Amino acid sequence: MASNPVIPRTSYTRRRKQLMRMAGNDAILILPAAPERVRSRDTHYPYRQDSDLLYLAGFPEPEAVLVLVPGRTHGENLLFCRERNPEREAWDGPRTGPEGAIDAYGMDDAYPIDDIDEILPGLLEGRTRVYYHFGRDTDFDLKLIGWLNRVRAQSRRGAQSPHEFLELGHLLDEMRLFKSRDELKLMRRAAAVSVLAHEAAMRAARPGVREYELQAEIERVFRAHDGHPAYGTIVGAGANGCVLHYIANNAQAKDGDLVLVDAGAEIRGYAADITRTFPVNGRFSKEQRALHDLVGAAQVAALAQARPGVAYEAGHEAAVATLTEGLLKLGLLKGKLEKNIADGNHKRFYPHKTGHWLGLDVHDVGDYRIDGESRLLEPGMVFTIEPGLYVSPDDTSVPAKWRGIGIRTEDDVLVTEDGHEVLTEGLARSADEIEAFMGELTR
């Protein structure tokens, strides 16, 4: 597999220009880097940059602030970042430094992060609106309030301080919802790597395998292709597949168990998100296959709604109708179809929605509803389609043969001009395809 694609510098420049055009010449936009997080005592979690800062600059380091000042004569794109420091770099690796930020990231100007207290109040002066993510980083909120108060204190001398404070997401989330060609290259790459990882898990499956052994296979493939887990890998064997956000991954898969694997790679910040459910011994039981086929039919019904001009919610409604009808046929629900749908009786077995936006965040930004109505799908949107069924092992209201079966099938879908593209198409999906793939491994 070729090396991972990158977002060209011109794309970041274009994004910043578009955002500033929407914000207007009397605005200022402030985006701090994600803070580093302590894992335990003096060790940190692996650092991952704030998605918005990644989107607008591609700058990967902590202790940085991107400031966009539309219409500023002396330069609109400013970055505060750590200075070069040979002693610290010997411990933590190279830093870009302010000089490097101009050359490598196309900034008009860059300053040491330690100088932000002196410089930022002057940038706020004369601006009427501040765009910022309030409430995301309390420490930075307090700093920003302090800088604003310093400008306000100068008002008697004629200093004009901002009087409007707007959520940055109102502008930026809508931009990020529509994926560019460069972004889609990375998302296809993340999808392809994730497909390989799921196949590796199926290859390693056998009665007696530990969930963490399958997790290790998956994440080995991610790292082998210069990726990382986009979220905590879920490997649930048997009844653990009924736990939606199962994270223990320490149980042993028994002969006859299904294994639900929800795992996706992140490549250069962009996520994939795939779920497959397969029999650890390579063969579905009658009941397992019946529920797996039903989930597959629900996914097909939802996929049929994935095209421009159709309401986002239509996919979920199609999946719910298919699942409810199937549950009635199997005897897991009783009564009339219409009443079961109206009463939401499927939620006993299917408590979540059928998907979410996907991009720099696994649960990516973007409104699902506009003016109270489900928004219409448009080309360039990417989302997951992930129906499932989960029969609790303790549900004595259903026959014992169904209990403890958890199934989800999830793929990543791009809305195109004339329909959709399944980015994760290459991975075995139906029960027949899964059995055929696993059967090939044992021949």
Side-chain angles (χ1 to χ4, degrees):
M1 202 181 264
S3 61
N4 293 332
V6 294
I7 304 282
R9 204 170 90 173
T10 51
S11 289
Y12 295 116
T13 304
R14 193 163 53 245
R15 291 170 187 174
R16 293 193 298 269
K17 278 185 177 166
Q18 184 182 343
L19 180 62
M20 286 189 277
R21 196 162 51 244
M22 291 192 294
N25 274 359
D26 52 351
I28 183 169
L29 303 95
I30 301 171
L31 295 95
E36 293 180 288
R37 299 290 186 195
V38 173
R39 181 182 180 276
S40 62
R41 195 169 164 81
D42 58 354
T43 63
H44 287 76
Y45 285 103
Y47 185 71
R48 205 286 192 169
Q49 185 57 280
D50 174 79
S51 293
D52 285 333
L53 204 152
L54 269 185
Y55 180 77
L56 291 171
F59 190 76
E61 298 176 25
E63 295 182 72
V65 181
L66 175 66
V67 181
L68 302 179
V69 195
R72 182 172 176 265
T73 314
H74 299 298
E76 300 175 312
N77 302 272
L78 312 176
L79 187 73
F80 294 86
C81 62
R82 301 176 302 184
E83 289 192 272
R84 299 294 307 274
N85 181 326
E87 186 181 343
R88 282 314 315 162
E89 289 178 55
W91 285 89
D92 304 325
R95 297 178 176 184
T96 301
E99 302 83 6
I102 294 170
D103 295 338
Y105 294 94
M107 294 294 129
D108 296 317
D109 221 334
Y111 306 98
I113 189 69
D114 292 340
D115 293 349
I116 196 167
D117 279 331
E118 295 169 33
I119 297 170
L120 198 60
L123 296 172
L124 288 165
E125 193 177 325
R127 298 276 148 175
T128 59
R129 293 196 307 287
V130 178
Y131 284 92
Y132 169 71
H133 286 302
F134 293 94
R136 187 180 286 186
D137 180 344
T138 309
D139 291 339
F140 198 88
D141 289 353
L142 294 173
K143 285 182 187 175
L144 179 54
I145 290 165
W147 296 323
L148 288 163
N149 284 338
R150 276 169 57 187
V151 180
R152 284 175 188 143
Q154 305 286 326
S155 60
R156 285 184 202 157
R157 298 185 206 161
Q160 182 192 348
S161 65
H163 54 79
E164 244 188 299
F165 304 95
L166 297 159
E167 172 51 45
L168 181 59
H170 290 324
L171 300 181
L172 199 48
D173 292 1
E174 195 68 11
M175 281 179 63
R176 280 179 51 189
L177 180 57
F178 296 90
K179 306 305 188 275
S180 69
R181 251 190 329 221
D182 294 321
E183 290 178 290
L184 290 171
K185 283 179 189 171
L186 282 165
M187 294 191 74
R188 287 190 181 97
R189 170 71 177 196
V193 169
S194 301
V195 166
L196 292 178
H198 277 260
E199 289 177 343
M202 289 182 194
R203 284 191 191 98
R206 64 190 184 283
V209 73
R210 292 273 176 183
E211 292 164 345
Y212 54 71
E213 293 180 81
L214 300 182
Q215 178 183 0
E217 287 297 312
I218 291 160
E219 295 180 7
R220 178 193 64 76
V221 174
F222 293 168
R223 291 303 295 127
H225 293 92
D226 195 20
H228 299 271
Y231 51 94
T233 298
I234 295 170
V235 182
N240 293 335
C242 296
V243 181
L244 297 181
H245 285 171
Y246 178 70
I247 55 168
N249 292 1
N250 58 8
Q252 191 170 30
K254 302 188 297 292
D255 193 16
D257 276 353
L258 292 179
V259 180
L260 185 153
V261 173
D262 187 339
E266 180 180 289
I267 303 287
R268 303 277 187 268
Y270 286 85
D273 187 0
I274 300 178
T275 309
R276 289 292 186 270
T277 311
F278 55 86
V280 73
N281 63 11
R283 303 292 295 179
F284 287 92
S285 73
K286 183 183 170 186
E287 287 75 24
Q288 289 169 350
R289 177 178 272 271
L291 292 185
H292 195 281
D293 287 351
L294 178 51
V295 169
Q299 195 191 38
V300 168
L303 263 172
Q305 304 301 318
R307 60 188 191 278
V310 174
Y312 174 83
E313 189 72 14
H316 178 64
E317 290 168 356
V320 165
T322 302
L323 290 173
T324 305
E325 186 177 10
L327 290 167
L328 285 166
K329 283 180 182 169
L330 294 171
L332 287 159
L333 289 177
K334 303 272 191 288
K336 298 276 187 199
L337 175 62
E338 292 75 14
K339 180 151 174 50
N340 271 278
I341 291 173
D343 293 348
N345 292 340
H346 66 278
K347 291 177 183 174
R348 270 180 59 200
F349 305 110
Y350 179 42
H352 60 81
K353 287 287 194 178
T354 305
H356 51 79
W357 303 130
L358 185 68
L360 279 165
D361 291 293
V362 179
H363 296 147
D364 208 25
V365 295
D367 290 329
Y368 292 95
R369 303 183 79 76
I370 295 175
D371 296 329
E373 296 292 322
S374 178
R375 79 180 299 156
L376 303 183
L377 295 174
E378 298 178 58
M381 295 175 168
V382 181
F383 63 104
T384 65
I385 294 183
E386 51 175 307
L389 288 171
Y390 317 90
V391 186
S392 168
D394 306 320
D395 190 345
T396 54
S397 71
V398 301
K401 64 184 181 179
W402 300 112
R403 293 177 209 159
I405 298 178
I407 293 166
R408 183 164 63 252
T409 301
E410 176 179 24
D411 284 286
D412 304 344
V413 179
L414 163 68
V415 182
T416 61
E417 294 288 345
D418 56 359
H420 64 260
E421 174 191 341
V422 180
L423 302 180
T424 46
E425 184 62 50
L427 183 59
R429 184 186 296 120
S430 70
D432 286 343
E433 289 168 345
I434 289 169
E435 285 189 348
F437 179 83
M438 297 184 78
E440 287 169 14
L441 305 175
T442 55
R443 275 186 208 136

